Amino acid sequence: MSLASPSDDQRFGLSRRAVLPGPLRLDGGATLSPVEVAYETYGTLDARAGNAILVCHALTGDHHLASAHPRTGKPGWWQRRVGPGRPIDTDRFFVVCANVLGSCMGSSGPASINPATGRAWGMAFPVITIRDMVRAQALLLDHLGIERLAAVVGGSMGGMQALSWAATYPARVAAAVVIASTARHTAQNIAFHEVGRQAVMADPNWRGGDYYDGEAPARGLAVARMAAHITYLSEAGLTEKFGRRLQAREAKSFGFDADFQIESYLRHQGLTFTDRFDANSYLYITRAMDYYDLAEEHGGRLASAFAPETRFCLVSFDTDWLYPTAESRAIVQALNAAGAPASFVELSSPYGHDAFLLDSPELDRIVAGFLREARA
């Protein structure tokens, strides 16, 4: 097992892929081998491999944490928080971000080639869970020579992975930062995802998931993204940004074009999403999130998922109705019952669930301070 020692030109945001031998046994009973994981690293791993932080991305995110996306050219999704002197300081930490299992940005997923057929897996790819994603990340860290993480950090689905890391590999996680997340998906969460999945599968181009040699189900995926995007925002934020203002017109059209700015915004979000994401991956990852229930995985008691070895920092936002503050409080109560050290704060923001991705000096201070104390 070799120690990762990036050269100077590899120290910040070089995209790489690791083909890991596996086999990876999945919660659903299937095995996957080999397992391919796309990842980026930032900073330098110290001689003891003791300064590694794993940052986990959300549902439609990727491993381009603090470097430009190769398709869209947009900055990395947490570029404001990862880098020299930033809250996740790459002068002090070696930061790893891996594309999750089931996604479409280089890790094994339904768009990958099935070695048994030489064609894309499609819906033959085995159904996965959040814990399966974490197991694949553990294989990657083994490959990199990292036995124990200084911290695992994530927001939204990334927070689910952080919690799953602490529950599955407590001896490998010194600290965990869980932002705008939850320990299980509620009926409402599942309902929104099911609307999105049905939109994809109702698109004639979906063809049972076997569309890789033809036109992708872009219209269905765009509708799925539009529905999901509403859950990432708050009513106050939508009202402030759009209200009932019309889009590039003086009066209503009395038709079904995008009369309102919010309609035009959602259509744009849907269309741009289809340029960078695979429809089948959307089905698989939303299903993994819906199956996620940390208490169920540990005998029905959430406190049983945690051990005192890991320190926790939880952050919620007061306008997040997708994973509201009550979800974070329930996790904190379970951590207290398990004797795990935990800090918690609710931040005020008008931006709803997406606040964890946006500029927030308060969040920056919390993350930087917690990581500094945990490292000390």
Side-chain angles (χ1 to χ4, degrees):
M1 199 176 296
S2 61
L3 192 69
S5 301
S7 62
D8 287 344
D9 64 338
Q10 296 175 332
R11 289 185 68 241
F12 204 85
L14 179 71
S15 291
R16 283 170 277 183
R17 293 189 187 186
V19 180
L20 309 171
L24 178 63
R25 183 166 294 279
L26 306 174
D27 280 339
T31 57
L32 195 62
S33 180
V35 179
E36 191 167 7
V37 179
Y39 67 102
E40 287 189 355
T41 63
Y42 308 81
T44 302
L45 192 63
D46 65 24
R48 295 183 303 159
N51 67 330
I53 289 180
L54 177 68
V55 177
C56 303
H57 69 73
L59 163 58
T60 62
D62 48 57
H63 53 296
H64 304 297
L65 175 66
S67 61
H69 192 285
R71 295 185 189 174
T72 67
K74 292 183 177 180
W77 55 271
W78 245 19
Q79 187 164 301
R80 59 173 46 88
R81 293 197 170 93
V82 178
R86 293 178 181 173
I88 303 178
D89 189 351
T90 53
D91 286 338
R92 302 174 62 238
F93 295 106
F94 178 68
V95 180
V96 181
C97 186
N99 187 222
V100 297
L101 189 69
S103 192
C104 52
M105 294 299 294
S107 293
S108 297
S112 304
I113 298 300
N114 181 348
T117 65
R119 302 179 69 246
W121 277 96
M123 299 303 284
F125 192 77
V127 172
I128 55 170
T129 65
I130 297 294
R131 187 161 54 181
D132 292 333
M133 297 175 185
V134 167
R135 291 189 182 109
Q137 292 163 357
L139 288 178
L140 173 65
L141 295 186
D142 292 342
H143 171 75
L144 295 175
I146 299 169
E147 294 184 4
R148 181 172 167 83
L149 290 164
V152 57
V153 181
S156 191
M157 189 186 81
M160 297 178 193
Q161 294 166 68
L163 289 169
S164 187
W165 255 102
T168 308
Y169 302 107
R172 298 189 70 170
V173 181
V177 181
V178 181
I179 307 168
S181 195
T182 181
R184 58 159 195 164
H185 248 204
T186 65
Q188 179 175 261
N189 299 146
I190 296 169
F192 275 110
H193 276 175
E194 177 61 4
V195 169
R197 286 191 293 265
Q198 288 299 319
V200 169
M201 292 188 285
D203 189 317
N205 290 330
W206 183 61
R207 301 189 323 205
D210 186 19
Y211 53 80
Y212 293 103
D213 58 352
E215 189 175 348
R219 287 174 293 179
L221 182 59
V223 172
R225 175 64 171 177
M226 290 167 67
H229 198 73
I230 297 169
T231 70
Y232 306 151
L233 309 172
S234 72
E235 182 178 6
L238 284 171
T239 300
E240 178 184 346
K241 188 171 183 178
F242 302 108
R244 289 182 52 85
R245 292 186 290 276
L246 299 179
Q247 175 68 25
R249 63 190 70 209
E250 297 297 326
K252 302 181 185 71
S253 69
F254 290 94
F256 295 96
D257 288 336
D259 275 10
F260 295 98
Q261 288 182 6
I262 182 58
E263 294 175 320
S264 178
Y265 171 77
L266 288 176
R267 293 184 188 190
H268 173 75
Q269 289 293 324
L271 288 174
T272 56
F273 182 62
T274 63
D275 291 334
R276 66 176 179 87
F277 214 81
D278 176 59
N280 283 340
S281 284
Y282 192 84
L283 301 182
Y284 274 81
I285 298 175
T286 57
R287 177 52 93 196
M289 295 174 73
D290 291 346
Y291 280 166
Y292 175 71
D293 185 336
L294 205 55
E296 183 180 69
E297 294 175 3
H298 293 82
R301 184 170 178 264
L302 185 57
S304 300
F306 304 116
E309 287 94 331
T310 305
R311 296 180 61 187
F312 291 83
C313 174
L314 284 93
V315 182
S316 69
F317 295 96
D318 59 355
T319 54
D320 183 353
W321 60 275
L322 183 64
Y323 303 136
T325 292
E327 300 289 330
S328 292
R329 292 192 189 279
I331 297 169
V332 173
Q333 290 171 1
L335 291 169
N336 290 337
S343 58
F344 165 67
V345 63
E346 179 189 57
L347 298 180
S348 181
S349 170
Y351 302 117
H353 181 66
D354 262 0
F356 82 97
L357 292 170
L358 305 175
D359 186 39
S360 173
E362 296 87 353
L363 180 59
D364 291 346
R365 285 194 291 271
I366 290 166
V367 172
F370 178 78
L371 293 178
R372 185 166 52 248
E373 292 175 9
R375 180 65 174 156

